[in-house]
Amino acid sequence: VSCFSPLKVDHPTDEHTVIALGTSIEVAFEGGPHRWPERPNGYFATLTPAISSIFHVTPLLDPYRYRKEIHVFRVSCIKLGESQLTLKVGNSASATLRQPAVLESSIVLSCAAPITLSVKPRLKKDTACPLNTALFKLPISFTLPSELEINALDQAGRTLTNITSLKIEWTLSDYTVAKLSTHRDYTEIFNGAFGYRKWLRNVITLTPSNKEATVIVT
C-alpha cells in the first residue's frame, strides 16, 4: 500500500505568468505518487506542453534536493504564444503494482514580446508619507546607494518575469552626480530556498557622489 500528497503547482502561482522570447523559467510541482520500491524504473514525472512549438522543457534532476516531493523543470520560450503544460506523475503497472495511481496537474504560461519598460527606485513603503511614483522626479538619498528596479510589460500590460534576452543599455545625464553598477546589464534577484529559482525583481545600483543634484537615468 502506498500513500502520497495531492499533486499541485508550487511555482509559479500567478494566474498570468509571462516570460520574454528567448528566456526561461523554472516550473515546480509538489506531491504525487512516489517511486514504487519494487520497480523504481517504472516511475515517471513528465511535463508536456500542449503546443510543443512554443516551449521546450528540460527536467532539472537534483538527487540531493531536500524537498523530495517536488518536480522541477526549466521551461524555455522559443516562440511567441501561450500554452498549457501538463505534468503527469506515476508508476507503470507491474506484477506488484497492478493498478498504479497516475496524477496530472497543469499550468498555463505565455511567451511574449516586451512592449514597454519602466525604471523606478526601490523605496521603503511609508504609509505616513505616501510618495507618488508617477512623478518624473523621485527623491533618493544623495549619500547612500539606491536600487533601481527595471520591469518590462507585454502588450496586455503584464509583467515579464524574465527579460534576460533583452539588450539593456544604461546612461546618466550627469556622471558627476552618480554612477551605475553596470552600463549594459542588470542583476536578477532570486529566491532559491524552495528548491527552485523564484524570480523577485531586476535591479541596478545607483551610487550617488554625495552632492544634491538632479540626474536622469535612461
Side-chain angles (χ1 to χ4, degrees):
V1 177
S2 176
C3 61
F4 47 85
S5 303
L7 183 63
K8 63 178 183 178
V9 178
D10 208 10
H11 177 260
T13 56
D14 296 338
E15 184 178 354
H16 299 291
T17 299
V18 191
I19 60 176
L21 181 66
T23 67
S24 64
I25 185 174
E26 291 189 5
V27 174
F29 296 79
E30 183 176 6
H34 300 167
R35 192 180 300 271
W36 189 247
E38 298 294 328
R39 191 169 180 267
N41 292 337
Y43 180 79
F44 57 86
T46 307
L47 183 65
T48 305
I51 307 176
S52 58
S53 61
I54 297 178
F55 294 109
H56 175 72
V57 177
T58 304
L60 299 181
L61 304 178
D62 180 6
Y64 305 104
R65 185 177 288 128
Y66 67 96
R67 293 181 64 195
K68 298 299 183 182
E69 288 196 351
I70 64 170
H71 315 278
V72 184
F73 302 84
R74 178 179 292 113
V75 179
S76 302
C77 169
I78 55 179
K79 182 182 178 182
L80 297 177
E82 181 178 280
S83 177
Q84 177 175 284
L85 295 97
T86 301
L87 175 68
K88 184 180 293 186
V89 179
N91 292 274
S92 302
S94 64
T96 57
L97 187 62
R98 300 294 180 88
Q99 297 179 337
V102 178
L103 296 187
E104 294 185 5
S105 183
S106 299
I107 187 173
V108 176
L109 297 178
S110 295
C111 179
I115 301 298
T116 60
L117 287 174
S118 68
V119 178
K120 65 178 182 179
R122 180 171 172 79
L123 304 173
K124 294 182 178 180
K125 293 183 179 179
D126 187 353
T127 55
C129 183
L131 179 66
N132 183 5
T133 55
L135 296 174
F136 178 70
K137 293 183 180 180
L138 296 174
I140 60 173
S141 171
F142 70 94
T143 59
L144 299 174
S146 295
E147 280 190 348
L148 305 182
E149 288 189 357
I150 176 173
N151 285 303
L153 307 178
D154 69 353
Q155 195 164 13
R158 301 174 297 183
T159 300
L160 279 70
T161 60
N162 190 338
I163 56 172
T164 52
S165 59
L166 292 185
K167 180 182 178 182
I168 304 293
E169 294 184 358
W170 299 87
T171 57
L172 293 177
S173 60
D174 190 342
Y175 288 91
T176 66
V177 175
K179 64 179 181 179
L180 295 167
S181 56
T182 179
H183 290 282
R184 295 187 179 275
D185 205 352
Y186 58 90
T187 300
E188 291 181 283
I189 306 298
F190 291 97
N191 184 350
F194 303 103
Y196 51 82
R197 297 205 311 170
K198 180 180 180 181
W199 175 83
L200 299 178
R201 59 188 182 275
N202 303 318
V203 299
I204 188 173
T205 302
L206 180 71
T207 304
S209 301
N210 296 325
K211 65 178 182 180
E212 294 187 63
T214 299
V215 63
I216 300 175
V217 182
T218 304

